Amino acid sequence: MAMSCFSHILSPPHITTFISHSTTLSLTNKMNSVELHNRSSITISSKSRTKKTFAIENRIDVETEIAVVEIEKPQFEVSKGYPSPFGATVREDGVNFAIYSLNSLSATLCLFTLCDFHNNQVTEYITLDPLVNKTGCVWHVFLKGDFKDMLYGYKFDGKFSPQQGHYYDSSRLLLDPYAKAVISKGEFGVVGPDGNCWPQMAGMVPFDHEEFDWEGDLPLKYPQKDLIIYELHVRGFTKHESSNTKFPGTYLGVVEKLDHLKDLGVNCIELMPCHEFNELEYYSYNPGQGDYRVNFWGYSTINYFSPMIRYSSADIQNCGPDGINEIKFLIKEAHKRGIEVVMDVVFNHTAEGNEKGPIISFRGVDNSVYYMVAPKGEFYNYSGCGNTFNCNHPVVRKFIVDCLRYWVTEMHVDGFRFDLASIMTRGSSLWNGVNVFGAPIEGDLLATGTPLSSPPLIDMISNDPILRGVKLIAEAWDAGGLYQVGTFPHWGIWSEWNGKYRDTVRQFIKGTDGFAGAFAECVCGSPNLYQRGRKPWHSINLVCAHDGFTLADLVTYNNKHNLPNGEDNNDGENHNNSWNCGEEGEFVSASVKKLRKRQMRNFFLSLMVSQGVPMIYMGDEYGHTKGGNNNTYCHDNYLFCSLIISDGTKRKNPHQTSTDFAAF
């Protein structure tokens, strides 16, 4: 029997509706005007358990079976619950919900069926009693019931005073920061009804379901010095039709191309952000390209525990578990081929932006805890994206460590690359003598955002019994001017994206005078940076990455060509240390083409013979071009997914070489 849900039509809030019928139904939103394509009766069971039956005659006189609609409120047994662990956790024969909120005055747990969620209707409100369901600053409740395909969120009440750093609004549904899967829209890049780019989001309520079969998967634990890293974007890697994958632009699409990476000699893939983000965050018409700008790269996290569900072929089916299992499958299959998986994580800011940004999760749960907030409520902006995650606050650093542990223990990732990691070394909003030591300290000049020599968060990660054994890679700078390449607090185990290697190698190979000595240091493992307490393999050597020119563009363009971004070419880096080999652009003389190919081989040779860990950007192995655009964060279109080699000709048959995949 087909199952349909029409609770938004037939029931008031808190009532779930199911229709079981073998033929198609067409209903309006008026109880006295229900049209069916046959003769049927609808039996409605309300909260009071009384039933009403409506006999309805269709214009088409066709006899069919009876359609029975049972409207029944989900039944949950509610008890006190436990203050830990945070999040929604299966426990005994129920689910425990726990969430930290220091400054809230009241809390309500909201539960949804998937049908009610899509119709913006809460299925069940559970108001938490501060005398029973609160321990310290943690709200908690334990529920027994059937949670299959159920979603949840919270509503908090308290002071709404941006000047004091508080954004409590009891009308807003908030994501639990610890939610393990976030459900919103099902298809990547599709705008909601009425042009809504910020659809309602909710977390998956965990339930007892079939465990993922890891088939005995264990960490590969390669020595750092043996890694060859390949940076890729899950969607961009196989989205183009030339990839010839069954599931383009998804986790499964990447699985289909793992053998190609293995053939290249790659033994570690670094996945650009795969945490839940909203690709419609920047959605706007782009007249320069004739399409719409989107948040393609994903460096604007909404939830750090949830994988990006729209990167899965399952979309939101099964309310999250299928999407989680797809990224697990990718990791398992990579390990089978001897390839480690490193996640690019963005703990420097979130998608909630500055004071004009949306209230989705952290801001509504406890803004002054999760963000660096100035005395008058302004947001510090060391990230360049509107806000700064308050990484060294005790609650926030526990959150980050819990998240990293989850991805290692539950998802089997092998390590992390930390975007703008220098922000994780800055003092939190609590950092002053009174908060830390209980009294002012004479001569203490530390303030919010001050770089710390021994940051508590880095200390916790470095000495954590689970995290100490995984790959830890820092992008050792931030947008506030802090540059720590060679000086990032490392505890002897952290590696760094070596931006100085990139700049020096580019200058030397294009022929800039005075860089021979610096280039020699790069080839020898940058001892000027890493000889004190670290080894050459703590340098992640790179010539190109997602942010900047591709290798082919590095030898094709002297200047960026970012007009397709719709920002009048004002975005992106201006100092690229590139050289076009004498002529600008792709269509040039044969001698220039020959020189460009030789220069690309020179870059690859330098990268592979240098002491340290080489990192290759996807597509550089075949000379992929982005047309001179060095900031393609906003493009999800054919322009950056074409297989084009460095001489400007498109590959007519990508199967003729090993480059049978697409990148951007």
Side-chain angles (χ1 to χ4, degrees):
M1 301 288 285
M3 297 296 293
S4 302
C5 187
F6 294 87
S7 58
H8 62 297
I9 299 171
L10 298 176
S11 64
H14 317 316
I15 296 180
T16 309
T17 307
F18 297 94
I19 293 182
S20 177
H21 199 270
S22 61
T23 59
T24 304
L25 304 180
S26 174
L27 298 144
T28 69
N29 59 4
K30 294 182 179 180
M31 283 298 300
N32 60 356
S33 178
V34 184
E35 181 181 322
L36 287 74
H37 296 297
N38 42 56
R39 179 179 297 168
S40 305
S41 69
I42 301 179
T43 302
I44 301 178
S45 176
S46 67
K47 181 178 179 181
S48 62
R49 296 290 185 177
T50 59
K51 295 187 177 182
K52 297 181 181 180
T53 301
F54 299 84
I56 304 166
E57 180 75 32
N58 191 343
R59 288 188 294 267
I60 303 175
D61 189 14
V62 179
E63 294 289 344
T64 66
E65 62 185 276
I66 298 299
V68 178
V69 182
E70 291 292 339
I71 303 177
E72 185 174 347
K73 183 178 179 180
Q75 300 297 311
F76 299 108
E77 182 181 331
V78 183
S79 58
K80 178 180 179 180
Y82 310 90
S84 65
F86 291 171
T89 309
V90 175
R91 183 167 180 163
E92 299 164 357
D93 54 347
V95 176
N96 188 73
F97 298 83
I99 186 169
Y100 174 92
S101 182
L102 172 65
N103 295 293
S104 61
L105 300 179
S106 67
T108 301
L109 174 66
C110 304
L111 298 173
F112 307 82
T113 62
L114 188 58
C115 175
D116 282 349
F117 174 73
H118 286 315
N119 290 293
N120 295 317
Q121 180 172 299
V122 177
T123 304
E124 182 72 47
Y125 291 92
I126 298 176
T127 302
L128 306 188
D129 185 341
L131 299 179
V132 177
N133 302 110
K134 190 177 184 182
T135 302
C137 302
V138 181
W139 296 89
H140 49 80
V141 65
F142 182 76
L143 302 181
K144 292 183 179 180
D146 181 9
F147 293 100
K148 188 177 187 321
D149 293 340
M150 292 291 290
L151 305 173
Y152 79 105
Y154 288 95
K155 291 189 175 184
F156 288 101
D157 202 2
K159 184 180 293 186
F160 187 91
S161 176
Q163 295 77 15
Q164 295 178 288
H166 302 308
Y167 286 81
Y168 290 108
D169 182 348
S170 60
S171 69
R172 294 185 180 273
L173 181 74
L174 303 173
L175 277 174
D176 180 359
Y178 279 77
K180 302 306 186 293
V182 173
I183 303 300
S184 57
K185 54 187 180 295
E187 188 176 348
F188 189 96
V190 175
V191 180
D194 302 321
N196 182 15
C197 292
W198 286 96
Q200 185 60 64
M201 306 174 195
M204 170 193 72
V205 179
F207 61 92
D208 290 325
H209 59 277
E210 185 177 352
E211 292 290 330
F212 179 78
D213 183 7
W214 282 104
E215 301 182 76
D217 178 71
L218 293 172
L220 297 175
K221 294 187 176 180
Y222 290 145
Q224 177 96 4
K225 62 184 179 66
D226 294 335
L227 293 184
I228 298 177
I229 300 174
Y230 188 95
E231 185 191 26
L232 68 85
H233 183 281
V234 168
R235 183 170 172 85
F237 191 51
T238 64
K239 176 179 177 287
H240 191 261
E241 60 184 10
S242 60
S243 69
N244 291 313
T245 55
K246 294 180 180 178
F247 303 98
T250 67
Y251 300 120
L252 296 184
V254 177
V255 172
E256 295 180 62
K257 295 302 177 183
L258 288 174
D259 289 334
H260 164 75
L261 299 179
K262 183 179 179 181
D263 291 343
L264 287 178
V266 169
N267 61 8
C268 179
I269 54 176
E270 182 178 300
L271 302 180
M272 289 173 64
C274 291
H275 291 144
E276 184 68 24
F277 66 92
N278 180 15
E279 69 276 13
L280 300 178
E281 180 178 355
Y282 313 136
Y283 192 78
S284 61
Y285 183 69
N286 183 0
Q289 192 62 26
D291 60 5
Y292 289 84
R293 301 168 70 248
V294 297
N295 175 12
F296 186 63
W297 284 353
Y299 287 92
S300 193
T301 308
I302 287 172
N303 180 279
Y304 294 94
F305 282 85
S306 172
M308 180 61 170
I309 297 297
R310 291 177 299 289
Y311 281 170
S312 71
S313 64
D315 294 328
I316 60 173
Q317 295 176 30
N318 202 22
C319 286
D322 289 348
I324 294 173
N325 286 343
E326 282 198 18
I327 191 171
K328 287 182 177 180
F329 182 72
L330 164 58
I331 295 168
K332 180 177 72 172
E333 291 300 307
H335 287 172
K336 284 182 179 180
R337 292 163 176 79
I339 300 174
E340 291 191 333
V341 179
V342 169
M343 296 279 293
D344 194 340
V345 292
V346 190
F347 287 111
N348 57 77
H349 76 285
T350 77
E352 291 182 304
N354 59 20
E355 64 276 1
K356 297 180 181 179
I359 301 174
I360 306 168
S361 179
F362 303 98
R363 177 166 296 160
V365 173
D366 217 320
N367 181 76
S368 62
V369 168
Y370 283 105
Y371 296 112
M372 287 189 189
V373 180
K376 294 184 179 181
E378 305 96 332
F379 289 89
Y380 286 91
N381 189 19
Y382 295 114
S383 68
C385 298
N387 64 55
T388 305
F389 215 47
N390 204 15
C391 294
N392 282 296
H393 186 288
V395 171
V396 182
R397 64 177 183 255
K398 177 188 183 308
F399 166 81
I400 294 173
V401 169
D402 287 347
C403 180
L404 298 176
R405 281 185 162 195
Y406 173 81
W407 280 92
V408 171
T409 59
E410 296 297 322
M411 309 298 277
H412 290 205
V413 302
D414 301 284
F416 305 94
R417 179 263 188 189
F418 295 83
D419 183 65
L420 298 184
S422 290
I423 282 177
M424 302 195 305
T425 72
R426 292 184 180 271
S428 75
S429 295
L430 284 180
W431 195 272
N432 60 56
V434 175
N435 283 318
V436 178
F437 303 107
I441 304 299
E442 185 176 353
D444 181 14
L445 301 179
L446 293 178
T448 299
T450 301
L452 308 174
S453 59
S454 297
L457 173 60
I458 307 300
D459 187 354
M460 285 182 67
I461 295 173
S462 303
N463 293 290
D464 184 85
I466 293 174
L467 301 177
R468 183 174 176 83
V470 304
K471 309 305 190 286
L472 300 172
I473 303 171
E475 184 185 38
W477 56 82
D478 65 22
L482 185 57
Y483 191 81
Q484 297 176 306
V485 172
T487 62
F488 188 85
H490 55 78
W491 273 262
I493 60 174
W494 284 75
S495 304
E496 298 170 6
W497 267 26
N498 192 344
K500 293 182 178 180
Y501 176 97
R502 174 199 60 209
D503 298 340
T504 299
V505 170
R506 288 185 178 189
Q507 291 274 25
F508 176 78
I509 289 182
K510 81 170 185 173
T512 305
D513 291 336
F515 280 86
F519 177 76
E521 285 187 326
C522 289
V523 173
C524 293
S526 301
N528 56 317
L529 299 177
Y530 301 110
Q531 64 182 354
R532 296 182 180 179
R534 283 188 284 183
K535 301 294 183 181
W537 54 82
H538 289 119
S539 170
I540 307 300
N541 298 333
L542 66 150
V543 174
C544 298
H546 69 274
D547 197 0
F549 280 151
T550 66
L551 187 62
D553 290 348
L554 190 64
V555 299
T556 305
Y557 299 95
N558 282 349
N559 304 301
K560 65 184 181 182
H561 295 262
N562 293 2
L563 284 176
N565 299 355
E567 300 182 41
D568 296 326
N569 210 41
N570 292 318
D571 63 306
E573 178 60 55
N574 291 316
H575 306 288
N576 296 285
N577 295 320
S578 60
W579 179 46
N580 63 16
C581 298
E583 299 178 43
E584 186 82 355
E586 296 173 16
F587 302 99
V588 294
S589 64
S591 60
V592 170
K593 292 178 184 178
K594 183 177 179 180
L595 177 57
R596 288 176 178 177
K597 290 182 178 179
R598 187 174 71 183
Q599 287 291 80
M600 285 195 289
R601 290 193 292 269
N602 287 336
F603 278 119
F604 258 115
L605 177 63
S606 300
L607 190 63
M608 301 311 291
V609 301
S610 296
Q611 294 293 304
V613 176
M615 189 187 83
I616 306 166
Y617 175 57
M618 68 175 191
D620 279 350
E621 71 271 26
Y622 66 79
H624 180 73
T625 178
K626 299 180 186 177
N629 194 320
N630 69 358
N631 192 32
T632 57
Y633 73 98
C634 59
H635 293 283
D636 180 25
N637 55 42
Y638 73 94
L639 181 62
F640 301 107
C641 294
S642 298
L643 277 173
I644 305 176
I645 55 178
S646 58
D647 63 1
T649 60
K650 290 189 177 181
R651 297 190 186 278
K652 295 180 180 179
N653 182 3
H655 297 291
Q656 293 176 348
T657 70
S658 64
T659 57
D660 61 340
F661 64 95
F664 280 125

